[in-house]
Amino acid sequence: MEQICAALEPQFPCRETAITTLAQLIGDCDEAYPAAIYIYGHSGTGKTAITKAFLQQCHKQQNVQIAQLNAIECYTTKILLETVLDALAPQQGELEIRADNMLEFVEQLRRWQRTKTNGFLIAIDNAERLRDMDANVLPVLLRLQELSGINICVILLSQLPFEKYYNKTGLSEIMTVHLAQYNKAETQRILGSDFLQMQQRLLRQQQLTDDEHRLQLCKQALTAEFYNNYLNLFLSVFYKACRDLPELQLTARKCFDIYVQPVLDGSIESTDVSRLWRHIAGPLRAALTQIYMRIEKPLGEPELVEQSVRQLAQSLELPYYGKYLLIAAFLASHNSAKQDKRLFVKHHGKQRKRMQSVNAKAKTVEKMSTTLGPKSFSIDRLLAIFYAILDEKVGLTCNLLSQISTLVHLKLLCFVSGENNIMDGSAKLQCTVGLEFVLHIGKVVGFNVRQYLCDFM
Amino acid sequence: TRLAEGTPRRSIQLSNIVEQRIFKDDDIISTPKRARSKLAEDVDYTPKKSSQKTPTRPRRVSTAISASASKSKEQAPLTPSQKLKKIRSGELSPSMEQRCQPVDAAQKSQLQLAREQLHVSVVPKSLPCREKEFDNIYSFLEGKIEDQCGGCMYVSGVPGTGKTATVTGVIRTLQRQVEQRKLPAFEFLEINGMRLTEPRQAYVQIYKQLTGKTVTWEHAHTLLEKRFTTPAPRRTTTVLLVDELDILCNRRQDVVYNLLDWPTKAAARLVVVTIANTMDLPERVLMGKVTSRLGLTRLTFQPYTHKQLQEIVGARLAGSEAFKGEAVQLVARKVAAVSGDARRALDICRRATEIADTNEAQSSQKCVNLLHVQQALAEMIASAKVQAIKNCSRLEQIFLQAVAAEVTRTGVEETTFMGVYQQLETIVAFMGVALPAPGRALSLCAKLGAERLIISEHSRHDLYQKILLNVSTDDIHYALRVEAN
């Protein structure tokens, strides 16, 4: 037990308590294991990694068979059971292992009572999927020790608390271990633990360039304190938005190259923190908008969301009528059908203004239909609006109708109901693109969309 | 196996051909699973061919083969496939393991004897209080057998009113009559809908009782069809008892139709007695053509009254002093008020003897009195819900109170967990107990749901899961108030 702890603790800093708890529960295979352990915590807290390393240490140091699997991969119970049996079998390759159902699985385990293996450990990742499998999977796994009569422990890993697992027929007891998210100091410590690797990498880069002066500067400037300062700046921007350790690690490495550049050039002293901050603040904020989007792109060029939408809208190569159809669909989704006559019929007569309608018009942003989400419309209404907003008169050809189905295929429109009876007119569509996107498309074809939206009148 | 090569294959009965073709060579001696799957495949297409075969001659041939084959291999242990073949042809009868020595019957106490007498499986020779129904069925069956014609009868009644026991009693009496040559001989077949995995397995069971062979249902169906539709000299009457008729009714109702259609054929001489629980089953479930074939000969078994139950138990105990008179009366009255089920009365009596056995110290004067019966009744009739609520943990009791309070507040029976939790907060604050976190309350809820004190959904819907109270609110108040005092 102490050996396992000693082997794991340098590998996983700031997780001493969790490792000790695990070691107390399943550290010694000569003692009885608990029937089941439930480890939960957010993504990026090291559930899978710690469990994996722990089980491998157990396997290496003690006479324990281990099985690790992911419940997502096991889309039938049979796959789950056979994977577990394959991994756990004490004598490898003795027979073809088969388990069609839970009964055969448990029978197979019972047969191992007389083998010399002292313990069996099963770790199941993404355990929330077990709730969706056959109704007997989770209850049996939680009582596997009792049913099989061997020293076995089932470890379930998930991001949910165990309260989400109770079914209608009750579950047996389980030990829960919580892995809390790292706080700022711990995050900084973990991020700072790869300082040596970073140093090696930078030095090797400088050696390749054959610039003696830069190499000298690099050796001089690259200290642990310097790196910690950088991480402090980095976390002051990022920690509010993201505490996911792998994500932070990835971005921190990317931004460090930009941070260290002026120091290597000799333009900024390595101790001048405020100037370094002014230099790095822009790229860091730019990187913050790209977090969780694994785009391999050089940093530094600030990219605003609006521009990307414009690019997307301009790069979308729809035919002319297709664009008009998309605009018509957007108008149909975001205007109420009551307003259609006033908006699109040429001679609709005079509208009398009433106090009531004026009051109703005075909308707040929350009430605007463009922010409330699209409403559904029929294909007839789509075509009517299309013909109303298009100046020229085109025939209703099959090309035009096929463009509607193409828009559906491209997921710019979607069906909400009546997918099977499109032709009899009861099918309802929805427009899935946003206002920005449609405004850009309108600009491309020279059509003012705002003019036809009730919200902007 | 060499023997089979020379015999004319065509005329051998098909089920045997199938088996011999599979098992003829040594290379087939393999895992039983493989052989079985092959068998299933082959059997599937057999009924198509079977219409060309004559049914009588080949049976003789096949028996000759199997007899000689079994003689030659008498000593050798059977492979699993050979065993399976013998089981399917009915040559091996299923037996059970025997005890080393039987229990000595001499040293049984009076209570033990009474308990044996009271066992539900000990059916008396003549059922008390069912004489009229016995006469009714007896005259119907006797008439049909003597007239050598076919017919149907429908017997209904709630469970435990002696339907099956009366019908089998009638059959036994008739068989005794046949032995005394007072009645033409008849064959008796019996199927139970509950013992079949599927309605069509009824054909297999009927055919098995006629010949002892197990074949697929398609094959059995064609063979039975042939038996009942083609006239044959010296055909005897067949009485078919169909228990649990409502299980045999599927959507197409083809099995029920066939079972009731064969009696209408002149050649069949089939008398079908059907038993079910509901009185209006033919009108409610069965199709028009099936109902019309079922006919109007019907008999309804009324539930036993308390006097009849008393008589039944009295007849079981005849001569024994183990029971007090008023004890039997109490059982009879309590059971007759609920269901009139004789099995229930007998079970309660048996439980009472067990209680008397354990409670009374001296073995000399062991007798079941009123107190024992009352205890047995409390065990078997009284609800355990109040006890369950009393034995809940403190928080579970508070949770139940919260559910009841939420039901009274909203007036709707179905509550959500959120509302219940708000009530829980109030009650907990009132009582000065620490409030459990919602996750803890969810586990309480799941535990109560598993015990069926409440009905709840899967806890993945956490705050929005719907909760129904499965006990009455009065039960909760009663259980908790009495405990508090």
Side-chain angles (χ1 to χ4, degrees):
Chain A
M1 170 182 150
E2 283 80 16
Q3 293 161 335
I4 295 175
C5 286
L8 288 187
E9 269 161 14
Q11 233 176 320
F12 300 99
C14 314
R15 280 288 178 232
E16 289 81 9
T17 47
I19 291 170
T20 322
T21 317
L22 267 185
Q24 277 163 356
L25 290 173
I26 52 172
D28 195 345
C29 70
D30 295 326
E31 293 169 9
Y33 288 149
I37 301 175
Y38 185 74
I39 303 177
Y40 68 107
H42 274 291
S43 64
T45 46
K47 303 179 291 294
T48 311
I50 289 177
T51 317
K52 191 174 177 184
F54 195 94
L55 294 199
Q56 270 160 2
Q57 285 297 329
C58 282
H59 184 58
K60 216 184 288 171
Q61 298 181 8
Q62 303 170 346
N63 189 9
V64 174
Q65 291 290 331
I66 57 166
Q68 283 170 317
L69 55 150
N70 194 335
I72 294 180
E73 292 165 7
C74 307
Y75 56 92
T76 62
T77 315
K78 196 181 168 201
I79 297 176
L80 177 89
L81 303 181
E82 291 190 349
T83 320
V84 170
L85 283 180
D86 263 333
L88 287 188
Q91 286 98 32
Q92 231 73 51
E94 48 171 336
L95 269 176
E96 188 194 5
I97 285 173
R98 292 195 50 174
D100 286 336
N101 49 35
M102 219 30 123
L103 182 67
E104 286 178 25
F105 173 69
V106 174
E107 278 302 317
Q108 199 102 30
L109 289 186
R110 291 182 75 85
R111 239 173 275 157
W112 296 346
Q113 279 176 9
R114 270 156 287 148
T115 55
K116 287 184 199 115
T117 313
N118 288 343
F120 297 90
L121 292 170
I122 304 175
I124 300 179
D125 217 336
N126 288 97
E128 64 271 2
R129 295 290 178 123
L130 294 178
R131 302 175 299 174
D132 304 323
M133 298 173 77
D134 294 345
N136 66 349
V137 174
L138 190 58
V140 168
L141 283 179
L142 293 192
R143 300 176 54 194
L144 203 54
Q145 193 178 58
E146 179 188 341
L147 293 171
S148 63
I150 55 179
N151 192 20
I152 195 168
C153 176
V154 178
I155 305 168
L156 304 179
L157 309 171
S158 172
Q159 300 191 20
L160 304 178
F162 198 70
E163 283 101 65
K164 292 276 197 178
Y165 285 73
Y166 298 118
N167 57 11
K168 286 182 193 170
T169 49
L171 294 175
S172 41
E173 284 296 307
I174 190 165
M175 306 285 227
T176 51
V177 177
H178 183 224
L179 293 188
Q181 280 200 315
Y182 304 104
N183 59 26
K184 201 167 178 179
E186 285 171 342
T187 315
Q188 191 165 354
R189 187 180 146 202
I190 295 167
L191 287 180
S193 62
D194 65 346
F195 166 69
L196 285 177
Q197 290 170 30
M198 291 296 280
Q199 197 180 22
Q200 293 297 321
R201 192 170 64 91
L202 268 179
L203 285 176
R204 221 173 301 128
Q205 267 180 10
Q206 298 311 318
Q207 272 163 1
L208 284 179
T209 52
D210 280 339
D211 193 338
E212 198 58 40
H213 180 61
R214 280 175 73 110
L215 187 64
Q216 207 56 44
L217 267 178
C218 189
K219 273 182 187 162
Q220 204 174 23
L222 227 60
T223 58
E225 195 197 357
F226 177 74
Y227 192 60
N228 263 334
N229 272 340
Y230 160 70
L231 287 177
N232 206 356
L233 294 181
F234 175 79
L235 285 180
S236 69
V237 175
F238 272 82
Y239 193 68
K240 268 184 210 159
C242 168
R243 296 174 187 198
D244 189 354
L245 202 67
E247 201 63 43
L248 288 177
Q249 234 158 8
L250 209 69
T251 321
R253 279 180 199 162
K254 234 197 257 177
C255 294
F256 186 64
D257 288 343
I258 305 167
Y259 182 78
V260 85
Q261 215 58 49
V263 178
L264 297 184
D265 293 341
S267 52
I268 303 175
E269 284 289 311
S270 64
T271 48
D272 192 356
V273 179
S274 63
R275 278 191 70 192
L276 279 172
W277 162 247
R278 251 172 276 140
H279 166 75
I280 194 69
L284 279 184
R285 288 208 188 92
L288 189 60
T289 61
Q290 284 183 19
I291 203 161
Y292 287 117
M293 292 188 286
R294 300 272 166 91
I295 314 167
E296 281 306 315
K297 210 189 265 183
L299 283 169
E301 39 191 86
E303 183 138 325
L304 295 172
V305 182
E306 203 185 327
Q307 278 178 327
S308 73
V309 170
R310 183 189 297 162
Q311 269 184 350
L312 197 63
Q314 279 164 353
S315 65
L316 185 73
E317 289 184 9
L318 277 179
Y320 183 68
Y321 294 132
K323 280 176 180 154
Y324 264 103
L325 275 172
L326 189 59
I327 293 170
F330 184 80
L331 292 177
S333 266
H334 294 278
N335 284 328
S336 79
K338 260 190 277 176
Q339 304 273 359
D340 276 357
K341 189 179 177 202
R342 217 176 62 70
L343 283 170
F344 301 114
V345 177
K346 286 269 159 56
H347 308 291
H348 53 78
K350 220 174 188 182
Q351 206 196 18
R352 198 177 284 170
K353 270 199 178 173
R354 281 193 193 160
M355 208 52 212
Q356 212 178 3
S357 59
V358 172
N359 285 342
K361 278 266 185 69
K363 281 182 178 172
T364 49
V365 181
E366 287 80 46
K367 275 188 184 169
M368 269 171 47
S369 65
T370 38
T371 52
L372 282 179
K375 289 166 196 67
S376 62
F377 54 87
S378 66
I379 296 177
D380 287 344
R381 187 164 165 235
L382 170 67
L383 285 173
I385 294 176
F386 171 73
Y387 278 109
I389 61 175
L390 198 66
D391 287 334
E392 54 191 309
K393 289 289 159 245
V394 291
L396 184 60
T397 57
C398 62
N399 284 335
L400 204 58
L401 290 175
S402 72
Q403 282 186 21
I404 297 177
S405 75
T406 312
L407 287 177
V408 173
H409 278 300
L410 292 173
K411 311 234 167 133
L412 297 170
L413 306 182
C414 70
F415 279 107
V416 275
S417 69
E419 215 164 324
N420 300 321
N421 32 9
I422 300 167
M423 296 311 288
D424 66 5
S426 61
K428 292 274 184 183
L429 284 164
Q430 237 179 26
C431 182
T432 55
V433 297
L435 178 63
E436 296 282 313
F437 194 89
V438 171
L439 285 177
H440 287 302
I441 286 188
K443 224 172 268 174
V444 172
V445 293
F447 176 80
N448 189 358
V449 180
R450 282 173 190 272
Q451 196 185 344
Y452 284 93
L453 274 173
C454 287
D455 289 339
F456 300 102
M457 286 182 154
Chain B
T1 52
R2 294 266 67 177
L3 252 176
E5 298 287 11
T7 52
R9 279 281 180 79
R10 278 279 166 73
S11 58
I12 296 177
Q13 200 178 12
L14 261 157
S15 59
N16 287 334
I17 291 185
V18 168
E19 283 160 1
Q20 262 144 26
R21 197 168 65 215
I22 291 161
F23 302 124
K24 69 178 175 192
D25 286 323
D26 296 339
D27 62 345
I28 313 287
I29 299 172
S30 59
T31 59
K33 227 167 256 172
R34 229 179 89 199
R36 207 182 300 145
S37 69
K38 259 191 189 172
L39 189 71
E41 273 168 25
D42 282 346
V43 167
D44 271 347
Y45 63 75
T46 46
K48 282 172 210 153
K49 287 190 203 162
S50 68
S51 57
Q52 295 145 7
K53 310 292 179 303
T54 54
T56 47
R57 225 172 67 86
R59 201 175 297 157
R60 246 171 274 142
V61 177
S62 71
T63 48
I65 289 169
S66 59
S68 60
S70 64
K71 215 177 283 173
S72 64
K73 291 186 191 168
E74 202 134 48
Q75 269 72 38
L78 296 175
T79 61
S81 52
Q82 283 171 323
K83 217 175 206 173
L84 191 73
K85 177 188 153 192
K86 288 206 164 188
I87 289 170
R88 289 182 70 88
S89 65
E91 287 170 44
L92 282 177
S93 54
S95 60
M96 278 176 60
E97 272 185 47
Q98 299 280 322
R99 250 175 222 249
C100 312
Q101 57 186 50
V103 182
D104 197 8
Q107 40 184 287
K108 275 178 188 161
S109 74
Q110 197 162 27
L111 271 175
Q112 270 175 317
L113 283 174
R115 201 176 306 147
E116 270 172 25
Q117 281 294 307
L118 284 169
H119 201 281
V120 182
S121 65
V122 183
V123 182
K125 289 228 168 60
S126 69
L127 279 187
C129 314
R130 285 292 178 227
E131 290 82 13
K132 227 167 65 190
E133 286 83 0
F134 186 91
D135 287 345
N136 201 328
I137 300 173
Y138 185 84
S139 57
F140 171 79
L141 283 179
E142 192 188 29
K144 292 291 175 196
I145 293 170
E146 279 185 342
D147 294 350
Q148 307 267 305
C149 63
C152 291
M153 185 174 194
Y154 179 67
V155 179
S156 64
V158 289
T161 48
K163 300 181 294 294
T164 314
T166 309
V167 174
T168 45
V170 169
I171 298 287
R172 247 179 286 125
T173 316
L174 288 169
Q175 278 166 342
R176 222 171 299 133
Q177 296 277 315
V178 171
E179 277 171 27
Q180 294 165 5
R181 312 228 168 223
K182 288 180 187 164
L183 202 72
F186 69 94
E187 267 184 285
F188 174 61
L189 315 174
E190 180 185 21
I191 58 169
N192 189 330
M194 284 285 227
R195 296 203 190 126
L196 307 173
T197 52
E198 201 209 3
R200 281 168 182 153
Q201 289 295 317
Y203 303 134
V204 179
Q205 288 303 316
I206 294 171
Y207 187 72
K208 194 175 177 187
Q209 288 182 30
L210 280 173
T211 62
K213 291 197 176 74
T214 310
V215 292
T216 60
W217 71 263
E218 291 100 336
H219 195 187
H221 176 226
T222 37
L223 291 171
L224 287 175
E225 185 85 35
K226 201 185 296 162
R227 180 192 154 98
F228 289 129
T229 48
T230 51
R234 298 192 300 278
R235 158 94 16 109
T236 55
T237 309
T238 313
V239 178
L240 173 62
L241 171 62
V242 182
D243 217 339
E244 314 279 357
L245 180 72
D246 40 349
I247 309 291
L248 291 179
C249 301
N250 48 5
R251 205 170 53 76
R252 284 183 63 204
Q253 303 195 355
D254 51 340
V255 178
V256 197
Y257 177 78
N258 275 327
L259 290 183
L260 296 176
D261 190 42
W262 286 330
T264 62
K265 306 278 194 304
R269 293 195 183 167
L270 181 65
V271 187
V272 179
V273 182
T274 54
I275 300 179
N277 288 339
T278 43
M279 196 162 70
D280 56 345
L281 178 86
E283 285 72 31
R284 214 153 43 86
V285 179
L286 297 178
M287 293 194 275
K289 59 178 182 182
V290 182
T291 313
S292 90
R293 275 168 179 73
L294 188 58
L296 293 169
T297 324
R298 298 191 186 174
L299 182 63
T300 309
F301 279 61
Q302 299 296 340
Y304 292 115
T305 61
H306 69 91
K307 275 185 187 151
Q308 287 173 324
L309 284 177
Q310 212 173 328
E311 199 180 320
I312 289 168
V313 177
R316 293 280 184 125
L317 291 169
S320 157
E321 293 292 311
F323 261 82
K324 289 249 165 63
E326 69 261 26
V328 177
Q329 195 176 0
L330 179 63
V331 172
R333 283 188 183 271
K334 283 277 186 187
V335 173
V338 176
S339 60
D341 188 341
R343 285 180 278 197
R344 201 161 173 74
L346 292 174
D347 282 340
I348 292 172
C349 287
R350 225 149 29 88
R351 179 66 195 139
T353 60
E354 280 168 11
I355 292 170
D357 220 0
T358 48
N359 283 11
E360 297 297 311
Q362 311 103 319
S363 57
S364 59
Q365 36 167 260
K366 270 188 182 171
C367 182
V368 181
N369 58 25
L370 264 185
L371 284 176
H372 300 140
V373 169
Q374 255 165 355
Q375 198 182 335
L377 281 170
E379 275 178 23
M380 298 186 71
I381 290 181
S383 83
K385 281 179 178 171
V386 173
Q387 281 300 317
I389 297 171
K390 274 188 186 174
N391 287 320
C392 278
S393 74
R394 195 92 189 87
L395 277 177
E396 282 167 356
Q397 289 174 348
I398 295 174
F399 192 88
L400 280 174
Q401 279 180 317
V403 179
E406 180 68 8
V407 169
T408 28
R409 188 183 74 82
T410 56
V412 190
E413 292 210 339
E414 198 178 67
T415 57
T416 60
F417 183 82
M418 211 178 337
V420 171
Y421 191 72
Q422 276 165 1
Q423 293 289 337
L424 190 71
E425 280 174 340
T426 320
I427 295 175
V428 156
F430 183 71
M431 293 180 136
V433 190
L435 177 74
R440 184 87 195 94
L442 274 170
S443 79
L444 290 178
C445 176
K447 186 147 180 293
L448 290 172
E451 287 162 358
R452 310 310 282 171
L453 289 176
I454 59 176
I455 296 173
S456 60
E457 291 181 301
H458 194 283
S459 72
R460 65 167 71 187
H461 306 294
D462 44 22
L463 284 185
Y464 300 100
Q465 68 169 313
K466 300 195 175 75
I467 297 174
L468 272 177
L469 206 54
N470 202 21
V471 290
S472 75
T473 41
D474 297 339
D475 274 355
I476 296 174
H477 292 315
Y478 175 74
L480 298 184
R481 199 178 44 235
V482 170
E483 191 204 35
N485 288 345

